[in-house]
Structure formats: C-alpha cells, structure tokens
Amino acid sequence: MSTLDFFETEVRCLTSEADGVLSMELRHPLGHELPGWGAGSHLDVMLPNGQVRQYSLCSDPGKRESWRLAVLRERAGRGGSAYVHDELRPGTKIQVRGPKNNFAMAPAREYIFLAGGIGITPILPMVRAAEAAGVPWRLIYLGRSRKNMAFLSELSVHGDRVLIHPDDELGIYPLADLLVDPTGGFDLYACGPGPLLNVIETIAESWQDPSRLHLERFAVDPELAGAAVAPHQGDHEFTVEGTDGTEVLVPVGVSILQALEESGRNPLNSCREGICGTCETAVVSGDIEHRDSLLSQDERDAGDTMMICVSRCKGKRLVLELD
C-alpha cells in the first residue's frame, strides 16, 4: 500500500483527554492489522465533511490493531477540529493516508523532548522509543494550565524524568537555562505553538551543531506565511501534463495546485504552504524546483514526488500522476 493512497478506517471510540483535547481510536473495519509506523509519524485524515487534516499518531507503534490521534479544538480554525469535537461519532468510517514521518527520531546519546500544548502528541511515542532503547531522556511539557494538558496520567509513570510546567502555576519556563549548547550531549525534539518554536530556534542559533535541533510545526509561522508561494526571481511559466494526457499551463505567480483547480480538477490539499504534505504528488518526469519544508534532501534528489502547492518546475514541462 502506497503512503499516497487513502484507505478506510473506523472510529472505535472518542475520549476527552483534557479541556479542548479529544482523542480518537481508529481500527481497520475488518479487524486487520494497520500499517507499521515509527515515532514522529502522522496521518492525513479525510474527514466526512471533506476536509483533510494532519494528526500525529500518539499511540504505541508496537500495537498494530489500532491507532490513536488527538485533536485540539482550534477556536480560530477552519472547521476541521470543530467537526471532530462536535459531530464525529464512534462507528464513523474515515479515509486516512499514511503513516508519514517528517519528524523521525535519529540515534542520540541523550534526548530532551519539549512539548507545548497539543505538541505532546508526536512526543509521546518518542518517549516510549527512548525508554525502550535504554537511552537517557527528559521531557519538559509546557501548557497554559493543567486542565488543558493532555495525557498527564499516562506520563506520570515516568516519575521525575517528566517535568509538567503549567504557566498559570509556575510562570514562563526558562528555556535559555535548559537549552545551553549541547555539544557532545543531547538532541532536542520539540513540537508546539509557533512562538515557542521560534524562541527555541533563536536560542539554538548559537549551538555549534544546529543539527541537534529537531522541530515539528503544526502551522505556518505567521511571519513566514505566503513566503513559499510568493514569486521568486527567475520564475517562468511551464506546462503540467497529467498521465491521462491532459495539459495545464502554470503561469508565473500561480501554483500548480491553483492552476489545476482553475482547470476544473480538485487535488487534495490543506495548508497550501508546503508544510503538511497533503498535496504530495508523484512525478513521472521533469526537473522539480522544491520549495516545501518537508522533503529530505534524499527525497528531493530522487525527484519522484513534490508538493504542488508551492514547488515548481525548473524546465518547461512536468508530467505528474494526477487522478
């Protein structure tokens, strides 16, 4: 099964994990094992209302009979989280794609995990992986208040290796004191709100080895919004050809995704900023100008997939596998 293909799962149960956080358990409708995955993985979830969203897997990778996702109600969202919280019910069939992993753990001598709010979801399996591997680790879990922080009881079994830091009780956590240059020491894996990750990135700029910092963002940094899709010097128009023989001209200042939509197609998409992977499309031929924030250098060099919401063609023609 390709990670670009959707398949059907069934919602078995929904559980309130904290104020505003709802987890859902997914199983195969026929009871089959689900595809394997590693810590840091996520799913593309096609909700019954037609929206596609990305949610991190936060269950145990060793248990293949079910998956768990957790969804924060986003008050200023576009309706995906509201649908999950207000309308989703056990027994609902949901199409998913993946698992995909843009936040995979690399071997390290020691791990520090830093989670802000719903950023705990990809971190939970990382804690399990580090524990199973016998590698030293610590988790700092930040939140506005305990009532908003999910999975606290689940984390309590790890004792003082987990620091729970609610801002309303303890004030702002002193990140600079924690993140001294880890030369020869820890790797840091962090997930959470954009402002938190921006502070972490700023601190890590002074590290001798910035590769020890690993971040996952759930949303585009507002300061960078639109940068990936803005016209670049040297951009030119090109033609996209589908494997069915249809052709679409992509002008300067228009993304492949937009051009396809204007031609009457409806490719799956979500962020439109190159950070979520929903619009990932297989490339048959053509020279790609990658502008996403997801693909590794090896994946870019392979040249067999691209994010059509931001990436372009270096030449005059791209041939894509289009539905």
Side-chain angles (χ1 to χ4, degrees), residues 54-100:
Q54 298 72 43
Y55 299 121
S56 296
L57 285 157
C58 58
S59 44
D60 183 345
K63 296 180 178 179
R64 299 278 296 277
E65 71 275 11
S66 66
W67 286 332
R68 183 179 66 180
L69 310 173
V71 180
L72 171 68
R73 180 190 287 274
E74 296 280 4
R75 301 294 179 183
R78 292 175 292 156
S81 67
Y83 180 89
V84 171
H85 279 255
D86 297 337
E87 300 185 46
L88 199 62
R89 297 291 183 269
T92 303
K93 302 294 195 301
I94 288 184
Q95 296 289 319
V96 301
R97 181 169 64 177
K100 303 177 185 179

Side-chain angles (χ1 to χ4, degrees), residues 62 140 159 161 166 268 272 280 282 298 313:
I140 294 87
R161 281 179 294 178
L268 288 173
R272 305 178 80 96
E280 184 174 2
D298 286 345
C313 179

Side-chain angles (χ1 to χ4, degrees), residues 6 8 31 34 41 51 82 111 113 129 189 205-206 219 239 281 299:
F6 280 87
E8 190 171 77
L34 296 167
S41 296
Q51 293 181 312
Y111 295 104
F113 302 116
Y189 285 78
E205 287 175 357
S206 63
T239 298
T281 301
E299 289 169 328

Side-chain angles (χ1 to χ4, degrees), residues 107-112 135-136 138 179-188 206-213:
R109 293 176 54 186
E110 179 185 355
Y111 295 104
I112 290 182
V135 179
R138 290 180 288 158
L179 304 180
V180 294
D181 193 336
T183 302
F186 62 83
D187 276 33
L188 173 68
S206 63
W207 290 2
Q208 292 185 25
D209 183 4
S211 69
R212 292 180 179 274
L213 174 63

